Amino acid sequence: MARRGVWVVAVGVVGVVVAGCSGPGAAPRAGGTKGPPPLKWGECAAPDAAQGGGQAPPKDWECATLRVPLDYAKPEGETIPLALIRARARDKGKRLGSLVFNFGGPGGSGISTLPGAAKEYEALRSRYDLVSFDPRGVGRSAPVLCETDKELDRYYAQDSSPETRQEEAAFVDGIRKYQEACKKRSGKVLPYVGTENAARDLDRIRQALGDEKLNYFGISYGTELGGVYAHLFPKNVGRAVFDAVVDPTKTSEEGALAQAKGFQLALGNFAQDCVDRGEECRLQGTTAKEIEDNIVALQKRLAQKPIAGLGGRKLTDSAATNGIAQALYSKELWPLLEQGLDEAEGGQGQLLMALSDALNGRDRYGRYSNIGAANTAINCADSKDRFTLEQTKARLARFRAASPVFGDFLGWALMSCTNWPVAGAWQTPDVSAPGSAPILVIGNTGDPATPYEGARRMVERLGPGVGVELTYKGQGHGAYNSGDECVQKAVDRYFLEGKAPGRNAVCSAPTATPTAPPPNAAA
């Protein structure tokens, strides 16, 4: 998922926890407050557009609401609702407990995502209740709201990589208006939507589910949330898997720069695949470099003269870049990217705009989910970094060198939290978790949004005996949802039998089981 100038189903602005203290709503390290009552499960209603949209889940799914403190420093004070969803384990006689998912963002709705993705986790549902939730500030859980749908159309249409002083002024003014809208509509919750509070919510969820330990599947930003949880509650960690790992050692600038490199690498892989298919490839260019150069040329033309998009809207340079990024999240979307780029060369931008809309949470009726607002609010509540216009411009050369296609876009994204009404809590996460049960950490060598090296660094920061690394040599964001049998077998075995892969195991499709890597292969 990505927001204006910030791509991530995880990264963009990397959040962090400072060893057990600080930030709005900080509470004693291990909690210490009275636990929540058991959940009352009932029928699920269809979410509206702001809650992620979509149809009501199947009849065998249940929903519940858990009240949690708005401010954990005042545990008996005002509360907010957390929306939860679950599908019961199919083999109740062999049930192992609940398995809680966070699919990333930050800002992704678990209520909307889990039912649609449940087929991928059918093996796990044999013995686990599959559970997910909308984190605070997201979907049905005290959502952060900012601009209206029409205002968001204008906001996303603005130039996100300005070149002139006039464009710079419009860019800064657009951010200012967006932030003012967030403060006006959601000012009360903005100080309390950070990752540390979400981690404390996770432990409330664990208690309300009646589980002694939290069994957890975190994807993308969900790995950062899981790392913070393991740091705060190491003794409460059950079986946990982190897939598509946010690097806990990087500041917001370093994370955005790594993401620029990651998306450029993924684009190069896409371009090379197109070249390798010869005449089947619809794009002009005999090398991957030529295809990438043609994309840069397309961006420049769109910056000067947008082309036809959807519903009267034009495909701008910013929307095209956003659409390209969306398609790089999964290799399954590469054919759409190829088609969209080919059509854009002919003056038709509908497909690239549809991809961009999907990333921004806009449905075909022009209604936006709150994923963009939640993403900004959570990132800015976490990160202390606040970049001025001049500081941002001074860093653009590094971003452009890292990625001719995505560098400008992600470099200007450093201003996403400038003048945000709430101070950030930290700069890099403390995810150290001495005493935690082992956590399986999966890195994908071709991941654009959460580059591969983040998995190794997460293992290092979790501490000795906690992180167990598995490398997947593949493409797209994440590994388990790639369909690779090797990765899925390793994860399923860990959750169902408690058996982790061997040290530095590697999956390379189409192998059937994890294998030990050659020397230094996972370094």
Side-chain angles (χ1 to χ4, degrees):
M1 300 167 209
R3 307 289 57 83
R4 183 176 188 265
V6 184
W7 290 306
V8 254
V9 189
V11 182
V13 181
V14 179
V16 179
V17 155
V18 175
C21 64
S22 85
R29 179 181 173 92
T33 59
K34 182 179 178 181
L39 294 166
K40 295 181 180 180
W41 296 95
E43 185 177 349
C44 298
D48 62 29
Q51 298 164 342
Q55 298 179 344
K59 293 296 184 182
D60 59 341
W61 289 76
E62 303 172 302
C63 288
T65 300
L66 173 67
R67 306 292 305 190
V68 297
L70 171 66
D71 181 354
Y72 274 97
K74 301 174 182 177
E76 304 303 324
E78 184 176 356
T79 63
I80 56 174
L82 289 186
L84 290 91
I85 191 168
R86 78 172 176 186
R88 302 296 294 269
R90 297 198 184 280
D91 191 341
K92 294 180 174 57
K94 295 184 179 180
R95 180 180 176 275
L96 294 171
S98 303
L99 178 57
V100 180
F101 290 78
N102 181 281
F103 293 96
S109 165
I111 300 291
S112 298
T113 304
L114 182 57
K119 288 183 179 180
E120 298 179 16
Y121 308 106
E122 191 63 30
L124 299 175
R125 188 181 174 183
S126 65
R127 301 187 65 189
Y128 285 98
D129 295 346
L130 304 186
V131 179
S132 194
F133 64 107
D134 286 355
R136 57 173 59 212
V138 177
R140 302 185 185 193
S141 300
V144 174
L145 300 174
C146 298
E147 293 187 321
T148 65
D149 292 335
K150 290 184 178 180
E151 289 170 336
L152 286 172
D153 274 346
R154 291 193 292 269
Y155 180 64
Y156 287 121
Q158 289 179 338
D159 191 341
S160 295
S161 51
E163 296 180 352
T164 67
R165 289 189 178 276
Q166 183 178 6
E167 290 173 347
E168 288 175 6
F171 175 77
V172 172
D173 189 55
I175 293 176
R176 178 187 61 79
K177 289 179 179 178
Y178 183 86
Q179 293 180 345
E180 287 177 352
C182 297
K183 182 178 180 180
K184 180 178 180 180
R185 298 184 68 184
S186 303
K188 186 175 75 171
V189 300
L190 293 183
Y192 306 107
V193 296
T195 299
E196 183 175 348
N197 280 326
R200 297 188 184 281
D201 291 342
L202 262 181
D203 206 57
R204 289 295 185 102
I205 291 172
R206 174 193 65 81
Q207 296 174 59
L209 291 169
D211 292 341
E212 181 180 352
K213 304 282 187 178
L214 177 72
N215 301 310
Y216 179 76
F217 201 143
I219 302 164
S220 197
Y221 164 78
T223 67
E224 180 179 316
L225 175 59
V228 172
Y229 178 87
H231 172 68
L232 293 174
F233 305 99
K235 299 298 184 181
N236 295 349
V237 175
R239 297 174 187 175
V241 170
F242 295 173
D243 185 5
V245 183
V246 175
D247 190 334
T249 69
K250 292 190 180 298
T251 64
S252 62
E253 179 182 355
E254 293 165 344
L257 188 62
Q259 201 171 57
K261 295 176 181 177
F263 274 98
Q264 190 68 38
L265 173 64
L267 184 67
N269 293 337
F270 156 79
Q272 186 60 54
D273 177 78
C274 207
V275 169
D276 290 344
R277 291 188 289 106
E279 294 182 358
E280 293 181 9
C281 180
R282 300 172 60 161
L283 304 181
Q284 297 296 313
T286 58
T287 67
K289 178 66 164 52
E290 288 182 3
I291 289 178
E292 292 177 45
D293 289 345
N294 288 338
I295 292 173
V296 172
L298 174 64
Q299 289 176 305
K300 291 180 178 179
R301 291 197 301 273
L302 292 174
Q304 297 299 319
K305 187 178 181 181
I307 61 177
L310 292 171
R313 293 177 297 143
K314 296 287 188 178
L315 181 74
T316 62
D317 170 23
S318 297
T321 306
N322 213 37
I324 295 168
Q326 162 72 347
L328 293 175
Y329 273 99
S330 172
K331 192 173 182 179
E332 293 180 355
L333 296 178
W334 285 9
L336 292 181
L337 176 57
E338 182 180 336
Q339 179 183 345
L341 289 169
D342 181 48
E343 291 177 356
E345 289 286 357
Q348 298 300 314
Q350 291 86 352
L351 183 49
L352 284 183
M353 177 159 277
L355 288 166
S356 179
D357 284 349
L359 202 57
N360 289 331
R362 187 186 194 273
D363 70 15
R364 60 195 180 99
Y365 302 107
R367 303 171 304 188
Y368 286 86
S369 74
N370 93 308
I371 189 171
N375 181 276
T376 300
I378 295 167
N379 281 330
C380 297
D382 282 351
S383 177
K384 285 184 176 180
D385 290 339
R386 302 290 187 265
F387 294 93
T388 66
L389 177 62
E390 294 306 316
Q391 288 171 333
T392 300
K393 291 168 68 174
R395 287 161 168 78
L396 291 177
R398 290 182 67 202
F399 280 83
R400 290 166 179 158
S403 173
V405 174
F406 305 106
D408 256 334
F409 200 81
L410 285 164
W412 282 104
L414 296 179
M415 292 193 67
S416 297
C417 295
T418 301
N419 298 320
W420 187 251
V422 174
W426 47 64
Q427 283 202 303
T428 59
D430 186 347
V431 296
S432 61
S436 168
I439 297 172
L440 179 57
V441 179
I442 310 172
N444 180 351
T445 57
D447 196 315
T450 51
Y452 168 67
E453 60 269 18
R456 171 55 56 87
R457 290 175 182 148
M458 177 66 81
V459 168
E460 293 171 351
R461 289 300 174 96
L462 286 170
V466 178
V468 178
E469 185 175 7
L470 170 63
T471 295
Y472 171 56
K473 294 183 177 180
Q475 302 297 328
H477 185 48
Y480 190 91
N481 63 1
S482 70
D484 182 76
E485 184 180 4
C486 171
V487 173
Q488 291 176 344
K489 283 187 174 181
V491 171
D492 293 349
R493 188 181 187 211
Y494 178 63
F495 274 127
L496 296 173
E497 302 176 24
K499 297 178 180 179
R503 186 173 181 270
N504 290 338
V506 174
C507 283
S508 298
T511 55
T513 56
T515 59
N520 301 321

